[in-house]
PDB file of all heavy atoms in Angstrom:
ATOM      1  N   MET Y   1       0.845  -1.187   0.000  1.00  0.00           N
ATOM      2  CA  MET Y   1       0.000   0.000   0.000  1.00  0.00           C
ATOM      3  C   MET Y   1       0.883   1.240   0.000  1.00  0.00           C
ATOM      4  O   MET Y   1       1.854   1.329   0.748  1.00  0.00           O
ATOM      5  CB  MET Y   1      -0.919   0.026   1.223  1.00  0.00           C
ATOM      6  CG  MET Y   1      -1.765   1.290   1.315  1.00  0.00           C
ATOM      7  SD  MET Y   1      -2.783   1.359   2.803  1.00  0.00           S
ATOM      8  CE  MET Y   1      -4.014   0.141   2.396  1.00  0.00           C
ATOM      9  N   SER Y   2       0.547   2.179  -0.848  1.00  0.00           N
ATOM     10  CA  SER Y   2       1.232   3.472  -0.876  1.00  0.00           C
ATOM     11  C   SER Y   2       0.402   4.483  -0.101  1.00  0.00           C
ATOM     12  O   SER Y   2      -0.826   4.546  -0.265  1.00  0.00           O
ATOM     13  CB  SER Y   2       1.417   3.933  -2.328  1.00  0.00           C
ATOM     14  OG  SER Y   2       2.012   5.220  -2.360  1.00  0.00           O
ATOM     15  N   ILE Y   3       1.051   5.262   0.757  1.00  0.00           N
ATOM     16  CA  ILE Y   3       0.351   6.208   1.634  1.00  0.00           C
ATOM     17  C   ILE Y   3       0.941   7.599   1.450  1.00  0.00           C
ATOM     18  O   ILE Y   3       2.167   7.768   1.392  1.00  0.00           O
ATOM     19  CB  ILE Y   3       0.496   5.790   3.111  1.00  0.00           C
ATOM     20  CG1 ILE Y   3       0.038   4.344   3.309  1.00  0.00           C
ATOM     21  CG2 ILE Y   3      -0.299   6.728   4.013  1.00  0.00           C
ATOM     22  CD1 ILE Y   3       0.448   3.778   4.651  1.00  0.00           C
ATOM     23  N   ASP Y   4       0.083   8.611   1.378  1.00  0.00           N
ATOM     24  CA  ASP Y   4       0.523   9.999   1.250  1.00  0.00           C
ATOM     25  C   ASP Y   4      -0.245  10.847   2.261  1.00  0.00           C
ATOM     26  O   ASP Y   4      -1.476  10.896   2.219  1.00  0.00           O
ATOM     27  CB  ASP Y   4       0.281  10.511  -0.175  1.00  0.00           C
ATOM     28  CG  ASP Y   4       0.739  11.957  -0.336  1.00  0.00           C
ATOM     29  OD1 ASP Y   4       1.733  12.336   0.314  1.00  0.00           O
ATOM     30  OD2 ASP Y   4       0.096  12.702  -1.103  1.00  0.00           O
ATOM     31  N   ILE Y   5       0.469  11.459   3.178  1.00  0.00           N
ATOM     32  CA  ILE Y   5      -0.146  12.296   4.213  1.00  0.00           C
ATOM     33  C   ILE Y   5       0.193  13.759   3.935  1.00  0.00           C
ATOM     34  O   ILE Y   5       1.361  14.117   3.808  1.00  0.00           O
ATOM     35  CB  ILE Y   5       0.350  11.891   5.620  1.00  0.00           C
ATOM     36  CG1 ILE Y   5       0.000  10.430   5.896  1.00  0.00           C
ATOM     37  CG2 ILE Y   5      -0.248  12.806   6.686  1.00  0.00           C
ATOM     38  CD1 ILE Y   5       0.557   9.911   7.202  1.00  0.00           C
ATOM     39  N   GLU Y   6      -0.835  14.590   3.810  1.00  0.00           N
ATOM     40  CA  GLU Y   6      -0.643  16.022   3.553  1.00  0.00           C
ATOM     41  C   GLU Y   6      -0.878  16.809   4.839  1.00  0.00           C
ATOM     42  O   GLU Y   6      -1.919  16.658   5.490  1.00  0.00           O
ATOM     43  CB  GLU Y   6      -1.600  16.507   2.464  1.00  0.00           C
ATOM     44  CG  GLU Y   6      -1.386  15.880   1.097  1.00  0.00           C
ATOM     45  CD  GLU Y   6      -0.061  16.276   0.471  1.00  0.00           C
ATOM     46  OE1 GLU Y   6       0.514  17.303   0.881  1.00  0.00           O
ATOM     47  OE2 GLU Y   6       0.407  15.544  -0.419  1.00  0.00           O
ATOM     48  N   SER Y   7       0.095  17.640   5.197  1.00  0.00           N
ATOM     49  CA  SER Y   7      -0.031  18.457   6.403  1.00  0.00           C
ATOM     50  C   SER Y   7       0.733  19.754   6.213  1.00  0.00           C
ATOM     51  O   SER Y   7       1.511  19.908   5.261  1.00  0.00           O
ATOM     52  CB  SER Y   7       0.503  17.699   7.624  1.00  0.00           C
ATOM     53  OG  SER Y   7       1.881  17.432   7.456  1.00  0.00           O
ATOM     54  N   ASP Y   8       0.525  20.684   7.118  1.00  0.00           N
ATOM     55  CA  ASP Y   8       1.223  21.967   7.079  1.00  0.00           C
ATOM     56  C   ASP Y   8       2.464  21.893   7.960  1.00  0.00           C
ATOM     57  O   ASP Y   8       2.356  21.573   9.148  1.00  0.00           O
ATOM     58  CB  ASP Y   8       0.303  23.082   7.566  1.00  0.00           C
ATOM     59  CG  ASP Y   8       0.997  24.441   7.509  1.00  0.00           C
ATOM     60  OD1 ASP Y   8       1.068  25.023   6.417  1.00  0.00           O
ATOM     61  OD2 ASP Y   8       1.492  24.888   8.564  1.00  0.00           O
ATOM     62  N   TYR Y   9       3.635  22.174   7.400  1.00  0.00           N
ATOM     63  CA  TYR Y   9       4.886  22.023   8.136  1.00  0.00           C
ATOM     64  C   TYR Y   9       4.943  22.969   9.339  1.00  0.00           C
ATOM     65  O   TYR Y   9       5.415  22.592  10.409  1.00  0.00           O
ATOM     66  CB  TYR Y   9       6.068  22.293   7.202  1.00  0.00           C
ATOM     67  CG  TYR Y   9       7.411  22.187   7.870  1.00  0.00           C
ATOM     68  CD1 TYR Y   9       7.993  20.948   8.119  1.00  0.00           C
ATOM     69  CD2 TYR Y   9       8.095  23.325   8.282  1.00  0.00           C
ATOM     70  CE1 TYR Y   9       9.217  20.846   8.745  1.00  0.00           C
ATOM     71  CE2 TYR Y   9       9.331  23.238   8.910  1.00  0.00           C
ATOM     72  CZ  TYR Y   9       9.885  22.002   9.138  1.00  0.00           C
ATOM     73  OH  TYR Y   9      11.097  21.907   9.762  1.00  0.00           O
ATOM     74  N   GLU Y  10       4.479  24.192   9.182  1.00  0.00           N
ATOM     75  CA  GLU Y  10       4.600  25.189  10.251  1.00  0.00           C
ATOM     76  C   GLU Y  10       3.645  24.899  11.408  1.00  0.00           C
ATOM     77  O   GLU Y  10       4.035  24.950  12.575  1.00  0.00           O
ATOM     78  CB  GLU Y  10       4.338  26.586   9.687  1.00  0.00           C
ATOM     79  CG  GLU Y  10       5.363  27.047   8.666  1.00  0.00           C
ATOM     80  CD  GLU Y  10       6.754  27.205   9.257  1.00  0.00           C
ATOM     81  OE1 GLU Y  10       6.838  27.455  10.489  1.00  0.00           O
ATOM     82  OE2 GLU Y  10       7.743  27.087   8.516  1.00  0.00           O
ATOM     83  N   SER Y  11       2.395  24.613  11.094  1.00  0.00           N
ATOM     84  CA  SER Y  11       1.384  24.464  12.145  1.00  0.00           C
ATOM     85  C   SER Y  11       1.177  23.017  12.581  1.00  0.00           C
ATOM     86  O   SER Y  11       0.638  22.766  13.652  1.00  0.00           O
ATOM     87  CB  SER Y  11       0.051  25.036  11.663  1.00  0.00           C
ATOM     88  OG  SER Y  11      -0.468  24.242  10.608  1.00  0.00           O
ATOM     89  N   GLY Y  12       1.595  22.057  11.739  1.00  0.00           N
ATOM     90  CA  GLY Y  12       1.337  20.665  12.039  1.00  0.00           C
ATOM     91  C   GLY Y  12      -0.088  20.252  11.732  1.00  0.00           C
ATOM     92  O   GLY Y  12      -0.490  19.131  12.041  1.00  0.00           O
ATOM     93  N   LYS Y  13      -0.865  21.128  11.104  1.00  0.00           N
ATOM     94  CA  LYS Y  13      -2.255  20.828  10.796  1.00  0.00           C
ATOM     95  C   LYS Y  13      -2.341  19.748   9.724  1.00  0.00           C
ATOM     96  O   LYS Y  13      -1.626  19.775   8.728  1.00  0.00           O
ATOM     97  CB  LYS Y  13      -2.965  22.085  10.314  1.00  0.00           C
ATOM     98  CG  LYS Y  13      -4.452  21.897  10.062  1.00  0.00           C
ATOM     99  CD  LYS Y  13      -5.104  23.212   9.649  1.00  0.00           C
ATOM    100  CE  LYS Y  13      -6.606  23.021   9.406  1.00  0.00           C
ATOM    101  NZ  LYS Y  13      -7.251  24.300   9.000  1.00  0.00           N
ATOM    102  N   LEU Y  14      -3.218  18.785   9.931  1.00  0.00           N
ATOM    103  CA  LEU Y  14      -3.395  17.671   9.006  1.00  0.00           C
ATOM    104  C   LEU Y  14      -4.513  17.992   8.021  1.00  0.00           C
ATOM    105  O   LEU Y  14      -5.586  18.462   8.406  1.00  0.00           O
ATOM    106  CB  LEU Y  14      -3.731  16.412   9.795  1.00  0.00           C
ATOM    107  CG  LEU Y  14      -3.878  15.094   9.047  1.00  0.00           C
ATOM    108  CD1 LEU Y  14      -2.579  14.724   8.344  1.00  0.00           C
ATOM    109  CD2 LEU Y  14      -4.278  13.990  10.025  1.00  0.00           C
ATOM    110  N   PHE Y  15      -4.277  17.731   6.720  1.00  0.00           N
ATOM    111  CA  PHE Y  15      -5.264  18.009   5.689  1.00  0.00           C
ATOM    112  C   PHE Y  15      -5.908  16.744   5.127  1.00  0.00           C
ATOM    113  O   PHE Y  15      -7.125  16.669   4.977  1.00  0.00           O
ATOM    114  CB  PHE Y  15      -4.625  18.790   4.533  1.00  0.00           C
ATOM    115  CG  PHE Y  15      -4.071  20.113   4.926  1.00  0.00           C
ATOM    116  CD1 PHE Y  15      -2.762  20.437   4.646  1.00  0.00           C
ATOM    117  CD2 PHE Y  15      -4.861  21.046   5.595  1.00  0.00           C
ATOM    118  CE1 PHE Y  15      -2.240  21.659   5.005  1.00  0.00           C
ATOM    119  CE2 PHE Y  15      -4.349  22.278   5.953  1.00  0.00           C
ATOM    120  CZ  PHE Y  15      -3.029  22.592   5.665  1.00  0.00           C
ATOM    121  N   SER Y  16      -5.085  15.754   4.786  1.00  0.00           N
ATOM    122  CA  SER Y  16      -5.635  14.573   4.119  1.00  0.00           C
ATOM    123  C   SER Y  16      -4.699  13.395   4.250  1.00  0.00           C
ATOM    124  O   SER Y  16      -3.505  13.547   4.527  1.00  0.00           O
ATOM    125  CB  SER Y  16      -5.885  14.868   2.634  1.00  0.00           C
ATOM    126  OG  SER Y  16      -4.654  15.075   1.962  1.00  0.00           O
ATOM    127  N   ILE Y  17      -5.256  12.205   4.049  1.00  0.00           N
ATOM    128  CA  ILE Y  17      -4.489  10.964   3.957  1.00  0.00           C
ATOM    129  C   ILE Y  17      -4.991  10.222   2.714  1.00  0.00           C
ATOM    130  O   ILE Y  17      -6.184   9.927   2.607  1.00  0.00           O
ATOM    131  CB  ILE Y  17      -4.660  10.074   5.200  1.00  0.00           C
ATOM    132  CG1 ILE Y  17      -4.216  10.815   6.462  1.00  0.00           C
ATOM    133  CG2 ILE Y  17      -3.876   8.772   5.033  1.00  0.00           C
ATOM    134  CD1 ILE Y  17      -4.446  10.025   7.752  1.00  0.00           C
ATOM    135  N   ALA Y  18      -4.080   9.954   1.799  1.00  0.00           N
ATOM    136  CA  ALA Y  18      -4.432   9.212   0.585  1.00  0.00           C
ATOM    137  C   ALA Y  18      -3.723   7.863   0.612  1.00  0.00           C
ATOM    138  O   ALA Y  18      -2.603   7.753   1.111  1.00  0.00           O
ATOM    139  CB  ALA Y  18      -4.033  10.002  -0.653  1.00  0.00           C
ATOM    140  N   PHE Y  19      -4.371   6.845   0.077  1.00  0.00           N
ATOM    141  CA  PHE Y  19      -3.749   5.528   0.022  1.00  0.00           C
ATOM    142  C   PHE Y  19      -4.162   4.828  -1.265  1.00  0.00           C
ATOM    143  O   PHE Y  19      -5.225   5.092  -1.839  1.00  0.00           O
ATOM    144  CB  PHE Y  19      -4.124   4.685   1.239  1.00  0.00           C
ATOM    145  CG  PHE Y  19      -5.590   4.386   1.371  1.00  0.00           C
ATOM    146  CD1 PHE Y  19      -6.141   3.235   0.802  1.00  0.00           C
ATOM    147  CD2 PHE Y  19      -6.431   5.251   2.053  1.00  0.00           C
ATOM    148  CE1 PHE Y  19      -7.485   2.963   0.921  1.00  0.00           C
ATOM    149  CE2 PHE Y  19      -7.779   4.978   2.176  1.00  0.00           C
ATOM    150  CZ  PHE Y  19      -8.319   3.830   1.609  1.00  0.00           C
ATOM    151  N   ALA Y  20      -3.290   3.956  -1.730  1.00  0.00           N
ATOM    152  CA  ALA Y  20      -3.568   3.185  -2.942  1.00  0.00           C
ATOM    153  C   ALA Y  20      -2.936   1.819  -2.807  1.00  0.00           C
ATOM    154  O   ALA Y  20      -1.782   1.686  -2.398  1.00  0.00           O
ATOM    155  CB  ALA Y  20      -3.024   3.899  -4.171  1.00  0.00           C
ATOM    156  N   GLY Y  21      -3.720   0.792  -3.134  1.00  0.00           N
ATOM    157  CA  GLY Y  21      -3.237  -0.582  -3.117  1.00  0.00           C
ATOM    158  C   GLY Y  21      -4.037  -1.411  -4.093  1.00  0.00           C
ATOM    159  O   GLY Y  21      -4.886  -0.898  -4.828  1.00  0.00           O
ATOM    160  N   ALA Y  22      -3.771  -2.696  -4.108  1.00  0.00           N
ATOM    161  CA  ALA Y  22      -4.464  -3.565  -5.055  1.00  0.00           C
ATOM    162  C   ALA Y  22      -5.957  -3.645  -4.763  1.00  0.00           C
ATOM    163  O   ALA Y  22      -6.771  -3.780  -5.681  1.00  0.00           O
ATOM    164  CB  ALA Y  22      -3.844  -4.961  -5.004  1.00  0.00           C
ATOM    165  N   ALA Y  23      -6.338  -3.537  -3.488  1.00  0.00           N
ATOM    166  CA  ALA Y  23      -7.738  -3.725  -3.114  1.00  0.00           C
ATOM    167  C   ALA Y  23      -8.558  -2.440  -3.149  1.00  0.00           C
ATOM    168  O   ALA Y  23      -9.769  -2.477  -3.331  1.00  0.00           O
ATOM    169  CB  ALA Y  23      -7.823  -4.346  -1.724  1.00  0.00           C
ATOM    170  N   ALA Y  24      -7.919  -1.278  -2.958  1.00  0.00           N
ATOM    171  CA  ALA Y  24      -8.669  -0.026  -2.898  1.00  0.00           C
ATOM    172  C   ALA Y  24      -7.715   1.158  -3.006  1.00  0.00           C
ATOM    173  O   ALA Y  24      -6.523   1.035  -2.720  1.00  0.00           O
ATOM    174  CB  ALA Y  24      -9.474   0.058  -1.599  1.00  0.00           C
ATOM    175  N   LYS Y  25      -8.268   2.286  -3.417  1.00  0.00           N
ATOM    176  CA  LYS Y  25      -7.528   3.541  -3.390  1.00  0.00           C
ATOM    177  C   LYS Y  25      -8.510   4.655  -3.068  1.00  0.00           C
ATOM    178  O   LYS Y  25      -9.654   4.649  -3.527  1.00  0.00           O
ATOM    179  CB  LYS Y  25      -6.821   3.802  -4.712  1.00  0.00           C
ATOM    180  CG  LYS Y  25      -7.708   3.885  -5.930  1.00  0.00           C
ATOM    181  CD  LYS Y  25      -6.877   4.113  -7.171  1.00  0.00           C
ATOM    182  CE  LYS Y  25      -7.743   4.174  -8.429  1.00  0.00           C
ATOM    183  NZ  LYS Y  25      -6.922   4.402  -9.638  1.00  0.00           N
ATOM    184  N   ARG Y  26      -8.055   5.602  -2.239  1.00  0.00           N
ATOM    185  CA  ARG Y  26      -8.977   6.632  -1.773  1.00  0.00           C
ATOM    186  C   ARG Y  26      -8.193   7.793  -1.181  1.00  0.00           C
ATOM    187  O   ARG Y  26      -7.082   7.625  -0.689  1.00  0.00           O
ATOM    188  CB  ARG Y  26      -9.931   6.050  -0.723  1.00  0.00           C
ATOM    189  CG  ARG Y  26     -11.028   7.008  -0.247  1.00  0.00           C
ATOM    190  CD  ARG Y  26     -12.178   6.223   0.333  1.00  0.00           C
ATOM    191  NE  ARG Y  26     -12.811   5.416  -0.692  1.00  0.00           N
ATOM    192  CZ  ARG Y  26     -14.115   5.492  -0.981  1.00  0.00           C
ATOM    193  NH1 ARG Y  26     -14.903   6.322  -0.328  1.00  0.00           N
ATOM    194  NH2 ARG Y  26     -14.644   4.726  -1.907  1.00  0.00           N
ATOM    195  N   VAL Y  27      -8.816   8.978  -1.238  1.00  0.00           N
ATOM    196  CA  VAL Y  27      -8.292  10.165  -0.567  1.00  0.00           C
ATOM    197  C   VAL Y  27      -9.265  10.542   0.536  1.00  0.00           C
ATOM    198  O   VAL Y  27     -10.447  10.797   0.270  1.00  0.00           O
ATOM    199  CB  VAL Y  27      -8.123  11.342  -1.546  1.00  0.00           C
ATOM    200  CG1 VAL Y  27      -7.620  12.580  -0.788  1.00  0.00           C
ATOM    201  CG2 VAL Y  27      -7.174  10.984  -2.678  1.00  0.00           C
ATOM    202  N   LEU Y  28      -8.796  10.542   1.771  1.00  0.00           N
ATOM    203  CA  LEU Y  28      -9.587  10.981   2.919  1.00  0.00           C
ATOM    204  C   LEU Y  28      -9.197  12.424   3.208  1.00  0.00           C
ATOM    205  O   LEU Y  28      -8.019  12.712   3.463  1.00  0.00           O
ATOM    206  CB  LEU Y  28      -9.309  10.095   4.126  1.00  0.00           C
ATOM    207  CG  LEU Y  28      -9.490   8.585   3.904  1.00  0.00           C
ATOM    208  CD1 LEU Y  28      -9.079   7.815   5.150  1.00  0.00           C
ATOM    209  CD2 LEU Y  28     -10.912   8.261   3.504  1.00  0.00           C
ATOM    210  N   MET Y  29     -10.174  13.344   3.182  1.00  0.00           N
ATOM    211  CA  MET Y  29      -9.853  14.767   3.244  1.00  0.00           C
ATOM    212  C   MET Y  29     -10.785  15.488   4.211  1.00  0.00           C
ATOM    213  O   MET Y  29     -11.991  15.202   4.258  1.00  0.00           O
ATOM    214  CB  MET Y  29      -9.973  15.380   1.846  1.00  0.00           C
ATOM    215  CG  MET Y  29      -9.603  16.851   1.765  1.00  0.00           C
ATOM    216  SD  MET Y  29      -9.691  17.465   0.056  1.00  0.00           S
ATOM    217  CE  MET Y  29      -8.445  16.455  -0.724  1.00  0.00           C
ATOM    218  N   ILE Y  30     -10.234  16.407   4.979  1.00  0.00           N
ATOM    219  CA  ILE Y  30     -11.047  17.235   5.866  1.00  0.00           C
ATOM    220  C   ILE Y  30     -11.757  18.295   5.027  1.00  0.00           C
ATOM    221  O   ILE Y  30     -11.127  19.019   4.255  1.00  0.00           O
ATOM    222  CB  ILE Y  30     -10.175  17.896   6.946  1.00  0.00           C
ATOM    223  CG1 ILE Y  30      -9.531  16.828   7.828  1.00  0.00           C
ATOM    224  CG2 ILE Y  30     -11.001  18.866   7.789  1.00  0.00           C
ATOM    225  CD1 ILE Y  30      -8.538  17.379   8.842  1.00  0.00           C
ATOM    226  N   GLY Y  31     -13.085  18.376   5.149  1.00  0.00           N
ATOM    227  CA  GLY Y  31     -13.833  19.356   4.365  1.00  0.00           C
ATOM    228  C   GLY Y  31     -15.305  19.027   4.302  1.00  0.00           C
ATOM    229  O   GLY Y  31     -15.784  18.065   4.914  1.00  0.00           O
ATOM    230  N   ASP Y  32     -16.036  19.824   3.505  1.00  0.00           N
ATOM    231  CA  ASP Y  32     -17.492  19.695   3.419  1.00  0.00           C
ATOM    232  C   ASP Y  32     -17.959  19.220   2.049  1.00  0.00           C
ATOM    233  O   ASP Y  32     -19.142  19.325   1.735  1.00  0.00           O
ATOM    234  CB  ASP Y  32     -18.156  21.053   3.724  1.00  0.00           C
ATOM    235  CG  ASP Y  32     -17.838  21.535   5.135  1.00  0.00           C
ATOM    236  OD1 ASP Y  32     -17.745  20.685   6.035  1.00  0.00           O
ATOM    237  OD2 ASP Y  32     -17.665  22.755   5.311  1.00  0.00           O
ATOM    238  N   GLY Y  33     -17.058  18.715   1.228  1.00  0.00           N
ATOM    239  CA  GLY Y  33     -17.444  18.320  -0.122  1.00  0.00           C
ATOM    240  C   GLY Y  33     -18.299  17.063  -0.143  1.00  0.00           C
ATOM    241  O   GLY Y  33     -18.524  16.407   0.883  1.00  0.00           O
ATOM    242  N   ALA Y  34     -18.759  16.728  -1.338  1.00  0.00           N
ATOM    243  CA  ALA Y  34     -19.557  15.520  -1.539  1.00  0.00           C
ATOM    244  C   ALA Y  34     -18.639  14.351  -1.883  1.00  0.00           C
ATOM    245  O   ALA Y  34     -17.759  14.466  -2.728  1.00  0.00           O
ATOM    246  CB  ALA Y  34     -20.561  15.746  -2.666  1.00  0.00           C
ATOM    247  N   ASP Y  35     -18.844  13.228  -1.234  1.00  0.00           N
ATOM    248  CA  ASP Y  35     -18.024  12.042  -1.484  1.00  0.00           C
ATOM    249  C   ASP Y  35     -18.248  11.525  -2.906  1.00  0.00           C
ATOM    250  O   ASP Y  35     -19.344  11.651  -3.473  1.00  0.00           O
ATOM    251  CB  ASP Y  35     -18.373  10.930  -0.504  1.00  0.00           C
ATOM    252  CG  ASP Y  35     -18.053  11.307   0.939  1.00  0.00           C
ATOM    253  OD1 ASP Y  35     -17.390  12.331   1.145  1.00  0.00           O
ATOM    254  OD2 ASP Y  35     -18.470  10.559   1.845  1.00  0.00           O
ATOM    255  N   ASP Y  36     -17.216  10.959  -3.480  1.00  0.00           N
ATOM    256  CA  ASP Y  36     -17.354  10.235  -4.734  1.00  0.00           C
ATOM    257  C   ASP Y  36     -16.538   8.952  -4.627  1.00  0.00           C
ATOM    258  O   ASP Y  36     -16.125   8.559  -3.539  1.00  0.00           O
ATOM    259  CB  ASP Y  36     -16.926  11.091  -5.936  1.00  0.00           C
ATOM    260  CG  ASP Y  36     -15.484  11.571  -5.842  1.00  0.00           C
ATOM    261  OD1 ASP Y  36     -14.644  10.842  -5.266  1.00  0.00           O
ATOM    262  OD2 ASP Y  36     -15.180  12.664  -6.347  1.00  0.00           O
ATOM    263  N   GLU Y  37     -16.275   8.274  -5.737  1.00  0.00           N
ATOM    264  CA  GLU Y  37     -15.594   6.979  -5.672  1.00  0.00           C
ATOM    265  C   GLU Y  37     -14.127   7.093  -5.279  1.00  0.00           C
ATOM    266  O   GLU Y  37     -13.513   6.101  -4.917  1.00  0.00           O
ATOM    267  CB  GLU Y  37     -15.697   6.280  -7.024  1.00  0.00           C
ATOM    268  CG  GLU Y  37     -15.036   7.030  -8.167  1.00  0.00           C
ATOM    269  CD  GLU Y  37     -15.170   6.300  -9.484  1.00  0.00           C
ATOM    270  OE1 GLU Y  37     -15.934   5.316  -9.556  1.00  0.00           O
ATOM    271  OE2 GLU Y  37     -14.506   6.724 -10.448  1.00  0.00           O
ATOM    272  N   CYS Y  38     -13.558   8.292  -5.331  1.00  0.00           N
ATOM    273  CA  CYS Y  38     -12.136   8.464  -5.004  1.00  0.00           C
ATOM    274  C   CYS Y  38     -11.901   9.287  -3.741  1.00  0.00           C
ATOM    275  O   CYS Y  38     -10.908   9.102  -3.057  1.00  0.00           O
ATOM    276  CB  CYS Y  38     -11.398   9.128  -6.169  1.00  0.00           C
ATOM    277  SG  CYS Y  38     -11.274   8.084  -7.634  1.00  0.00           S
ATOM    278  N   ILE Y  39     -12.782  10.232  -3.439  1.00  0.00           N
ATOM    279  CA  ILE Y  39     -12.574  11.165  -2.330  1.00  0.00           C
ATOM    280  C   ILE Y  39     -13.668  10.988  -1.294  1.00  0.00           C
ATOM    281  O   ILE Y  39     -14.852  10.881  -1.622  1.00  0.00           O
ATOM    282  CB  ILE Y  39     -12.550  12.630  -2.821  1.00  0.00           C
ATOM    283  CG1 ILE Y  39     -11.443  12.834  -3.849  1.00  0.00           C
ATOM    284  CG2 ILE Y  39     -12.357  13.578  -1.641  1.00  0.00           C
ATOM    285  CD1 ILE Y  39     -11.381  14.236  -4.415  1.00  0.00           C
ATOM    286  N   GLU Y  40     -13.242  10.968  -0.040  1.00  0.00           N
ATOM    287  CA  GLU Y  40     -14.177  10.869   1.083  1.00  0.00           C
ATOM    288  C   GLU Y  40     -13.864  11.998   2.056  1.00  0.00           C
ATOM    289  O   GLU Y  40     -12.718  12.158   2.491  1.00  0.00           O
ATOM    290  CB  GLU Y  40     -14.027   9.514   1.769  1.00  0.00           C
ATOM    291  CG  GLU Y  40     -14.939   9.321   2.967  1.00  0.00           C
ATOM    292  CD  GLU Y  40     -14.751   7.947   3.598  1.00  0.00           C
ATOM    293  OE1 GLU Y  40     -14.270   7.025   2.909  1.00  0.00           O
ATOM    294  OE2 GLU Y  40     -15.076   7.804   4.795  1.00  0.00           O
ATOM    295  N   TYR Y  41     -14.860  12.806   2.390  1.00  0.00           N
ATOM    296  CA  TYR Y  41     -14.665  13.958   3.264  1.00  0.00           C
ATOM    297  C   TYR Y  41     -15.042  13.613   4.710  1.00  0.00           C
ATOM    298  O   TYR Y  41     -15.995  12.861   4.960  1.00  0.00           O
ATOM    299  CB  TYR Y  41     -15.503  15.143   2.781  1.00  0.00           C
ATOM    300  CG  TYR Y  41     -15.006  15.729   1.484  1.00  0.00           C
ATOM    301  CD1 TYR Y  41     -15.526  15.291   0.273  1.00  0.00           C
ATOM    302  CD2 TYR Y  41     -14.016  16.704   1.477  1.00  0.00           C
ATOM    303  CE1 TYR Y  41     -15.071  15.803  -0.926  1.00  0.00           C
ATOM    304  CE2 TYR Y  41     -13.559  17.237   0.279  1.00  0.00           C
ATOM    305  CZ  TYR Y  41     -14.082  16.775  -0.921  1.00  0.00           C
ATOM    306  OH  TYR Y  41     -13.615  17.295  -2.110  1.00  0.00           O
ATOM    307  N   VAL Y  42     -14.279  14.178   5.651  1.00  0.00           N
ATOM    308  CA  VAL Y  42     -14.531  13.984   7.080  1.00  0.00           C
ATOM    309  C   VAL Y  42     -14.523  15.331   7.772  1.00  0.00           C
ATOM    310  O   VAL Y  42     -14.067  16.340   7.215  1.00  0.00           O
ATOM    311  CB  VAL Y  42     -13.487  13.042   7.709  1.00  0.00           C
ATOM    312  CG1 VAL Y  42     -13.583  11.652   7.104  1.00  0.00           C
ATOM    313  CG2 VAL Y  42     -12.080  13.602   7.529  1.00  0.00           C
ATOM    314  N   ALA Y  43     -15.009  15.355   9.004  1.00  0.00           N
ATOM    315  CA  ALA Y  43     -15.235  16.632   9.691  1.00  0.00           C
ATOM    316  C   ALA Y  43     -13.967  17.268  10.239  1.00  0.00           C
ATOM    317  O   ALA Y  43     -13.806  18.491  10.202  1.00  0.00           O
ATOM    318  CB  ALA Y  43     -16.257  16.430  10.814  1.00  0.00           C
ATOM    319  N   ASP Y  44     -13.040  16.466  10.796  1.00  0.00           N
ATOM    320  CA  ASP Y  44     -11.890  17.045  11.471  1.00  0.00           C
ATOM    321  C   ASP Y  44     -10.730  16.043  11.503  1.00  0.00           C
ATOM    322  O   ASP Y  44     -10.842  14.929  10.965  1.00  0.00           O
ATOM    323  CB  ASP Y  44     -12.252  17.479  12.889  1.00  0.00           C
ATOM    324  CG  ASP Y  44     -12.949  16.363  13.682  1.00  0.00           C
ATOM    325  OD1 ASP Y  44     -12.587  15.173  13.475  1.00  0.00           O
ATOM    326  OD2 ASP Y  44     -13.847  16.668  14.484  1.00  0.00           O
ATOM    327  N   GLU Y  45      -9.615  16.445  12.129  1.00  0.00           N
ATOM    328  CA  GLU Y  45      -8.415  15.600  12.167  1.00  0.00           C
ATOM    329  C   GLU Y  45      -8.683  14.271  12.861  1.00  0.00           C
ATOM    330  O   GLU Y  45      -8.219  13.218  12.399  1.00  0.00           O
ATOM    331  CB  GLU Y  45      -7.267  16.338  12.873  1.00  0.00           C
ATOM    332  CG  GLU Y  45      -6.674  17.475  12.084  1.00  0.00           C
ATOM    333  CD  GLU Y  45      -5.434  18.044  12.752  1.00  0.00           C
ATOM    334  OE1 GLU Y  45      -5.020  17.486  13.794  1.00  0.00           O
ATOM    335  OE2 GLU Y  45      -4.878  19.025  12.238  1.00  0.00           O
TER     336      GLU Y  45
END
């Protein structure tokens, strides 16, 4: 599985975690958007 974590270097604030593997791939992101087959939004860190 490949994992990519996006955060702010200065504040340490976390934005998203993306992962990709043979069984699934998805971007988990903090925000208010509408989920689709690739992106899933959550409320907070």
Side-chain angles (χ1 to χ4, degrees):
M1 176 183 287
S2 177
I3 306 167
D4 180 34
I5 300 175
E6 296 293 340
S7 63
D8 181 80
Y9 179 79
E10 295 296 334
S11 67
K13 184 177 180 180
L14 184 61
F15 299 126
S16 67
I17 301 176
F19 62 91
K25 59 181 179 180
R26 185 158 295 236
V27 178
L28 306 176
M29 183 177 298
I30 297 174
D32 298 324
D35 296 350
D36 59 32
E37 62 180 10
C38 292
I39 301 178
E40 179 179 338
Y41 290 93
V42 296
D44 51 35
E45 288 187 4

